[in-house]
Amino acid sequence: MAKKQVLVACGAGIATSTVVNGAIEDMAKENNLDVDLVQIKIAEVGSYEDTADLLVTTAMTQKDYRFPVINARSFLTGIGTEETKKEILQELKK
């Protein structure tokens, strides 16, 4: 399976995306998936338009990208985190 580029973006800084990044890293290891994690600000997503396979973000985005976008706000609230992880994993396994 080809390596997937996963963008992990938060609104401004990197604090929240670090948490999400760690969770995806763990999932990838547990499932033997090869991922290239890129931590960015939501404003920078456009520059990865051609290379990314998935965007996982804690920020709100109204834009349509050619890759799936998963809302990772649950990592901030702690509610529904398992569901979000399942969603991410499903995309990574495609």
Side-chain angles (χ1 to χ4, degrees):
M1 198 186 292
K3 189 176 212 169
K4 297 237 186 229
Q5 186 180 62
V6 181
L7 305 178
V8 182
C10 56
I14 56 159
T16 54
S17 58
T18 302
V19 174
V20 177
N21 208 40
I24 297 172
E25 233 167 36
D26 292 346
M27 278 193 292
K29 270 188 202 128
E30 284 164 23
N31 294 276
N32 293 319
L33 298 168
D34 202 5
V35 294
D36 171 25
L37 288 169
V38 186
Q39 265 182 281
I40 56 168
K41 295 182 180 95
I42 194 74
E44 299 167 330
V45 173
S47 50
Y48 292 90
E49 191 85 61
D50 297 333
T51 56
D53 296 296
L54 175 64
L55 167 62
V56 181
T57 181
T58 55
M60 295 309 288
T61 178
Q62 300 304 320
K63 265 193 83 173
D64 279 330
Y65 297 103
R66 61 159 197 82
F67 40 79
V69 178
I70 294 177
N71 185 316
R73 270 204 139 75
S74 62
F75 285 93
L76 306 183
T77 61
I79 301 160
T81 313
E82 285 311 309
E83 281 307 303
T84 306
K85 282 183 179 178
K86 275 184 201 150
E87 236 184 294
I88 294 168
L89 197 54
Q90 269 177 334
E91 285 301 331
L92 294 181
K93 286 182 170 177
K94 282 184 180 171

